[in-house]
Amino acid sequence: MQDELVDLVQMLVAEGQRIAHVFAQRHGVHGTDIEALVRILVAGERGQPLTAGQLAAELGLTTGSVTTLLDRLERAGHVRRERDPADRRRVILRYGEPGRELAGQFFGPLGVHHRSATGDFTPTELEVVRRYLAATIEAFGSYRTELTREPGT
């Protein structure tokens, strides 16, 4: 059963990547732009907005590459850079209205399909799925941390 779950999660991740790729192509943006927008949105909704450096680390990009990405997103109105009121040296990333609209176009239909697929699950079953997904995300994060460490450390 665990092997089947691993396979299903791998297929889920791959399908999510394909959806993001097709969506990005359809809307004339880079796939990395979509990934960046998702991370900025999620962090903002959690009340922990990202800095450019944090976004670079999350995406595995250099700070120069993330600056280019943010310049592109800012020109399109998808994001804005704001000084952190708690530390004026830091710049935090916020969604612009076009970015919010683009996110809605991506997540709205995805949410409809997902709710339809899970509509027959009981609250108890959904809680088990929630726990499983949270544990899987934590495991994936641990593996990503391992991959980003210098060899031999």
Side-chain angles (χ1 to χ4, degrees):
M1 177 59 98
Q2 284 183 314
D3 288 343
E4 183 180 1
L5 289 173
V6 168
D7 291 345
L8 289 169
V9 167
Q10 290 171 342
M11 291 175 12
L12 174 66
V13 169
E15 188 62 27
Q17 290 171 334
R18 285 192 296 271
I19 290 168
H21 179 75
V22 170
F23 182 86
Q25 281 185 324
R26 176 170 282 184
H27 289 86
V29 296
H30 295 89
T32 307
D33 294 0
I34 296 295
E35 189 174 352
L37 288 170
V38 167
R39 291 178 186 268
I40 294 166
L41 176 70
V42 169
E45 287 180 348
R46 290 181 178 161
Q48 302 169 335
L50 292 176
T51 65
Q54 290 168 324
L55 181 63
E58 285 288 316
L59 297 176
L61 298 174
T62 65
T63 54
S65 294
V66 103
T67 296
T68 300
L69 179 145
L70 289 171
D71 287 346
R72 184 172 58 243
L73 291 175
E74 194 170 43
R75 275 193 307 275
H78 295 309
V79 299
R80 15 178 242 286
R81 296 171 173 126
E82 297 178 358
R83 290 275 173 214
D84 185 340
D87 181 350
R88 303 287 299 159
R89 296 169 295 176
R90 289 176 22 140
V91 174
I92 56 176
L93 306 172
R94 303 265 190 214
Y95 254 81
E97 193 51 41
R100 192 166 300 287
E101 289 173 16
L102 188 63
Q105 291 173 23
F106 182 77
F107 287 112
L110 191 58
V112 168
H113 284 278
H114 188 259
R115 284 180 195 86
S116 174
T118 59
D120 291 337
F121 285 65
T122 67
T124 302
E125 290 170 325
L126 289 173
E127 175 56 22
V128 171
V129 172
R130 187 203 62 74
R131 285 184 32 238
Y132 171 77
L133 291 174
T136 300
I137 291 166
E138 186 174 326
F140 280 27
S142 294
Y143 182 52
R144 180 170 49 104
T145 298
E146 289 175 22
L147 289 173
T148 57
R149 279 194 213 122
E150 289 295 319
T153 60

